[in-house]
């Protein structure tokens, strides 16, 4: 019934995650950024890889699939909408479906925008969500393929989850995201505290992940695009949240912090 999550850095700033079901002993890698890092995490924990859950087609999330397939008996689950772009998927899932890690069921949620078929995996019992590049701490992924409206809708789905849900995202971008967030929302006391904490954590070499949804709702400007102060900061008071969200995303693209 419960997942133990192991968090480790892959490549340069990607996060690797192992999710281990204590009941069946099954272990999933969430995305496959780096076979070496995933194998050493498995060795360290004494777990054997049984599953891989893929969130989207980008190379830094799928590159290790072939090597892990060669070395372990794994079932690889991934987004049906991106199946033509990902090699080595066994199980195709779409939003509304469930994915499985042993006895644990994860809901598949649609979070389009960074890529069109990007999905998140949500463990409602344990209160974990794997968001990859759809939602970061204090930011969101670059909008490579989608449109602001559906991207905002996907973020609202995430925002509606229980506040104590732990977010596991695809990259350690929190410190640079904090600089942008503070440029938009400088008077937000929760953000000021989080930004200072993130600075300390990074200086000490600690991960800033996982982070609670409650924290992100209070501090992440992209989850606050429907708040008057964020609209005002973008010069869009009274405008549609989608327009504010789109303006935020554009501003982040060119932000030099
Ligand atoms: Zn990506
Ligand atoms: Fe990525």
């Amino acid at each position: 019934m419960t997942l133990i999550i192991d968090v480790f850095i892959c490549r340069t700033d990607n996060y690797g995650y192992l999710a281990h079901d204590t009941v069946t002993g099954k272990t999933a890698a969430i995305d496959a950024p780096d076979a070496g890092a995933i194998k050493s995490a498995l060795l360290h924990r004494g777990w054997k890889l049984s599953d891989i859950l893929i969130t989207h087609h980008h190379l830094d999330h799928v590159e290790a699939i072939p090597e892990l397939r060669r070395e372990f008996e794994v079932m690889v689950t991934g987004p049906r909408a991106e199946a033509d772009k990902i090699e080595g998927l066994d199980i195709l899932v779409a939003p509304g479906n469930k994915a499985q890690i042993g006895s644990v069921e994860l809901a598949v949620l649609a979070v389009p925008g960074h890529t069109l078929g990007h999905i998140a995996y949500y463990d409602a019992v344990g209160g974990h969500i794997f968001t990859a590049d759809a939602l970061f701490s204090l930011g969101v992924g670059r909008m490579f393929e989608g449109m602001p409206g559906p991207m905002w809708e996907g973020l609202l789905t995430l925002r509606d989850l229980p506040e104590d849900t732990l977010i596991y995202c695809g990259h350690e971008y929190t410190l640079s995201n904090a600089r942008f967030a503070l440029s938009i929302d400088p008077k937000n006391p929760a953000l000021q505290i989080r930004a200072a904490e993130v600075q300390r954590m990074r200086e000490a070499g600690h991960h800033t992940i996982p982070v609670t949804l409650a924290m992100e709702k209070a501090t992440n400007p992209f989850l606050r695009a429907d708040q008057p102060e964020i609209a005002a900061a973008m010069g869009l008071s009274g405008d549609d949240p989608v327009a504010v969200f789109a303006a935020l995303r554009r501003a982040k693209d060119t932000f030099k912090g």
Side-chain angles (χ1 to χ4, degrees), residues 51 62 73-74 76 92 160-161 173 177 181 190 207 213 240:
D51 296 88
V62 304
E73 244 177 69
V74 284
V76 187
L92 303 180
D160 282 341
L161 298 175
Y173 289 161
N177 285 343
H207 304 147
L213 180 59
D240 185 62

Side-chain angles (χ1 to χ4, degrees), residues 56 58 60-61 114-115 118 133 144 171:
H56 70 295
H58 285 159
D60 62 313
H61 298 257
H114 178 70
T115 66
H118 198 310
D133 297 356
F144 284 119
H171 293 266

Side-chain angles (χ1 to χ4, degrees), residues 112-171:
H114 178 70
T115 66
L116 273 178
H118 198 310
I119 53 177
Y121 294 97
Y122 174 51
D123 162 25
V125 175
H128 307 108
I129 183 140
F130 298 95
T131 61
D133 297 356
L135 174 66
F136 298 125
S137 181
L138 297 177
V140 297
R142 205 173 261 262
M143 195 170 65
F144 284 119
E145 296 179 9
M147 296 291 286
M151 191 168 182
W152 171 246
E153 287 300 317
L155 291 173
L156 290 181
T157 307
L158 301 181
R159 198 175 71 173
D160 282 341
L161 298 175
E163 292 217 326
D164 58 355
T165 303
L166 292 172
I167 298 166
Y168 298 80
C169 63
H171 293 266

Side-chain angles (χ1 to χ4, degrees), residues 192-207:
Q192 292 166 355
I193 292 166
R194 170 71 172 154
E197 184 197 23
V198 163
Q199 177 91 40
R200 278 196 302 274
M201 289 170 98
R202 294 307 294 150
E203 279 167 7
H206 296 148
H207 304 147

Side-chain angles (χ1 to χ4, degrees), residues 9 16-17 25 46 55 79 91 106 114 128 130 182 191 197 201 210 222 227:
I9 288 287
Y17 299 114
T55 59
I91 303 170
L106 298 97
H114 178 70
H128 307 108
F130 298 95
L182 279 170
L191 173 59
E197 184 197 23
M201 289 170 98
F222 293 92
Q227 300 300 305

